[in-house]
Amino acid sequence: MGRRNRFPVGCALAGLALASPGAARADANYSLHVIASTQASWTDNIFAVPDDPDPTRPPHESDLLLQFRPGVLGTYETPRTIHNLEYDLEANLYLEHDEARSLGHVATWRGFFLTSPRTEVQASSTFTSGTLAALSTRAAPVEGQPQATVSGNGRYWALDAGQGLHFGVTPELRLSQGLQVRRFASTIDGAAGAPATDSGGYELGGSLGADRGWKHSAVALAAQTRYVTLEQATGDARSLNNALTLSYRRDFTPRWNAMADGGVVWVASLDDAPSMVQPTVGVSVSYAPTWGMAGMQVRRTMAPNLYIAENTISDLALVNATLPLPWLTDDPNLPKLMASGAIGASRSQVIRGDEVTSTINVVNADVALTYAPRGDLTLALRAQHLRQLPGETAATATPAFEYDRTTIVVQATWRFPERLAAEIPMRDSLRVDRSDNTPVGEEVAPAGPAPGQ
């Protein structure tokens, strides 16, 4: 649904369940699906460790991973609500490294609610668990961002839940409110008798915003506060992360638009450490054709990184896209061959109190070629390369190491039956005219007098 349909190209969707062919009838408001995915991937650095040997870390070795993800998907729709519920069991089998074999879990619920003629609510909750070695290919290529992470062999679990409400005061003025809960915890195995190390953290946050639009331009103001706990080797670090951001959006054509934003972030320590105030700024350009999307952004942010359990100041440059290719289809509005990916670089400065203690540089490229001969079947060829370089100021306590990693993935994804009875509408447009949002409610059939009245 919507103008930017997305086909699954990351590690997703595998199926072993019972579903009848009539479970998604055209007149049904629910559907049950078997979903299945299998992939073979080769990586030259299975545990994402440095080239130099170190007895305290796993060895730098390559291996072939076979992954199977059976799962089930259910959708349900009423006149004012939509629900999607999905569970996948992920089995990772390495040919040579028995210690890296694992079972993981992915459970996701997403909901959309029309609570009144002027208000709508979106909510979601996702739980994932598994090994860090298999984490990199779970997200679709277009979603990949260069972000500092820990290295080594270990397990993790994560919870991400959020809620967002939008209220249309007038056609030009919209108010918004949001809540978010995030939790990430990992245990990195030691080598040669070294003890395992734990890291992670959680954040609880809320936001308020206002958006005023004109014909081709819009201005938005957003305020956010988050309670953050970072679980570090020296003890937990607690803080309130507060942000105020002003943004401006402009539609240049029906396809092209841009956004610029600026603001300030105040990290108020709840321990004895000093607080820090930093400016934030960002510029992005996006392209939304009839099918697909593309964008470029340059941004400076200040936010907690739960993967390394640190507050960071990050400078980011990113280009990403999902675009159709003109071959192998008779209808350009129904493409079968797609190219997608993201290429970017980031510089993250780890901050403790009001000081920068270390720097981590990351370069990431993630591209895929996807072929969907039918609506229920997708084939993909994917390549990833990531390089992480600690800066000269890196402290020995920084839980991230220098490493580079290349991965090649071949994947097949299948769903039965094909048709979904209900899909969550796209409502995350950056365009002023919201032309690439999925119409719902009165946007589909505006309220008004019946014909002839």
Side-chain angles (χ1 to χ4, degrees):
M1 297 178 65
R3 302 172 69 93
R4 292 183 293 170
N5 298 318
R6 295 173 183 169
F7 287 82
V9 286
C11 283
L13 312 184
L16 185 62
L18 296 177
S20 64
R25 300 188 313 271
D27 60 346
N29 63 350
Y30 72 93
S31 60
L32 298 175
H33 306 264
V34 176
I35 50 180
S37 176
T38 182
Q39 75 173 34
S41 61
W42 173 86
T43 179
D44 64 346
N45 190 357
I46 180 176
F47 299 123
V49 295
D51 295 335
D52 298 333
D54 188 326
T56 65
R57 293 193 293 265
H60 185 290
E61 295 179 332
S62 63
D63 204 347
L64 181 68
L65 165 66
L66 300 178
Q67 185 180 83
F68 305 93
R69 291 187 68 177
V72 292
L73 169 66
T75 72
Y76 178 69
E77 182 176 26
T78 71
R80 306 188 69 86
T81 67
I82 303 173
H83 300 269
N84 283 185
L85 182 63
E86 179 179 337
Y87 169 75
D88 302 315
L89 176 66
E90 181 182 88
N92 300 296
L93 306 176
Y94 290 87
L95 292 188
E96 298 182 4
H97 293 80
D98 292 343
E99 72 277 15
R101 297 179 180 179
S102 66
L103 286 177
H105 305 272
V106 182
T108 303
W109 168 80
R110 294 189 300 157
F112 180 85
F113 309 87
L114 289 173
T115 51
S116 80
R118 293 187 178 184
T119 58
E120 60 186 43
V121 175
Q122 282 190 299
S124 65
S125 179
T126 301
F127 173 84
T128 60
S129 68
T131 61
L132 293 170
L135 181 60
S136 64
T137 58
R138 274 191 175 172
V142 70
E143 299 173 359
Q145 292 199 8
Q147 186 174 22
T149 60
V150 295
S151 63
N153 183 35
R155 297 191 60 85
Y156 81 96
W157 68 271
L159 174 67
D160 194 330
Q163 168 268 332
L165 178 147
H166 295 277
F167 172 56
V169 181
T170 68
E172 297 80 19
L173 178 62
R174 287 162 58 93
L175 303 180
S176 62
Q177 168 271 330
L179 296 172
Q180 186 179 48
V181 178
R182 295 180 62 213
R183 175 72 166 112
F184 182 86
S186 65
T187 299
I188 309 300
D189 299 335
T197 58
D198 297 330
S199 66
Y202 60 88
E203 55 180 287
L204 310 173
S207 63
L208 294 173
D211 187 303
R212 173 63 165 88
W214 291 269
K215 184 175 181 180
H216 299 296
S217 302
V219 175
L221 181 66
Q224 182 185 69
T225 185
R226 289 180 287 183
Y227 172 78
V228 179
T229 295
L230 301 172
E231 299 166 348
Q232 302 167 340
T234 57
D236 294 351
R238 302 175 302 124
S239 64
L240 282 178
N241 292 27
N242 309 289
L244 185 66
T245 305
L246 179 67
S247 62
Y248 172 77
R249 305 193 309 280
R250 175 75 179 181
D251 290 348
F252 297 109
T253 73
R255 299 288 179 262
W256 289 92
N257 78 296
M259 183 180 76
D261 62 80
V264 62
V265 175
W266 171 39
V267 177
S269 174
L270 299 179
D271 303 316
D272 296 330
S275 300
M276 175 177 277
V277 177
Q278 283 284 324
T280 62
V281 64
V283 177
S284 64
V285 178
S286 62
Y287 171 64
T290 303
W291 197 104
M293 57 78 62
M296 180 276 293
Q297 61 175 301
V298 178
R299 187 167 302 281
R300 179 181 178 88
T301 59
M302 184 175 179
N305 182 333
L306 299 187
Y307 293 107
I308 62 174
E310 299 282 4
N311 276 308
T312 61
I313 302 172
S314 296
D315 300 304
L316 168 72
L318 179 69
V319 177
N320 61 345
T322 296
L323 295 173
L325 300 177
W327 308 291
L328 303 179
T329 183
D330 297 327
D331 185 352
N333 294 319
L334 297 173
K336 294 183 178 181
L337 190 64
M338 286 75 63
S340 63
I343 300 175
S346 70
R347 174 176 178 264
S348 297
Q349 301 178 77
V350 175
I351 58 174
R352 294 188 178 181
D354 58 354
E355 296 182 355
V356 175
T357 63
S358 61
T359 303
I360 305 171
N361 303 306
V362 180
V363 178
N364 181 69
D366 193 342
V367 295
L369 184 65
T370 304
Y371 176 55
R374 306 192 309 263
D376 60 342
L377 177 65
T378 303
L379 308 174
L381 175 63
R382 182 176 182 181
Q384 290 182 320
H385 180 74
L386 185 145
R387 184 165 182 81
Q388 184 165 289
L389 299 167
E392 296 180 357
T393 60
T396 56
T398 302
F401 302 101
E402 175 183 355
Y403 70 91
D404 62 90
R405 184 180 187 183
T406 300
T407 304
I408 306 296
V409 181
V410 177
Q411 180 191 10
T413 301
W414 172 77
R415 180 179 70 226
F416 177 81
E418 174 185 343
R419 180 184 173 273
L420 297 172
E423 296 184 74
I424 302 296
M426 179 176 291
R427 309 297 278 174
D428 60 352
S429 174
L430 296 178
R431 291 189 57 84
V432 177
D433 61 13
R434 305 187 186 100
S435 59
D436 53 350
N437 275 345
T438 305
V440 296
E442 292 188 357
E443 299 169 338
V444 179
Q453 293 184 351

